[in-house]
Amino acid sequence: MPQLMPEPWFMTFIITWTILLTVVPMQIMALTFPYEPILQTEQDSSTQTWNWQWL
């Protein structure tokens, strides 16, 4: 029964999980937060009133 012999597949399993747990989260975090957040006070928050012509 080859499932009981860990030599052929165990190192592949360990290397695969090591790559997944170290490289992939760094790439995901680089894509998730590409820009610094803009503060609300830096934006122009003035709104213009709408002139209702028919009233």
Side-chain angles (χ1 to χ4, degrees):
M1 291 184 8
Q3 294 90 350
L4 298 178
M5 298 185 316
E7 291 86 17
W9 57 267
F10 188 69
M11 282 309 293
T12 305
F13 176 76
I14 294 297
I15 291 171
T16 303
W17 274 103
T18 303
I19 291 171
L20 284 175
L21 293 177
T22 57
V23 174
V24 173
M26 290 187 289
Q27 291 179 351
I28 291 174
M29 290 301 290
L31 293 174
T32 304
F33 302 108
Y35 304 110
E36 291 293 323
I38 298 173
L39 295 176
Q40 197 98 26
T41 57
E42 291 180 6
Q43 295 176 350
D44 185 23
S45 62
S46 65
T47 58
Q48 296 185 9
T49 58
W50 196 14
N51 188 6
W52 294 82
Q53 296 290 331
W54 56 87
L55 290 179

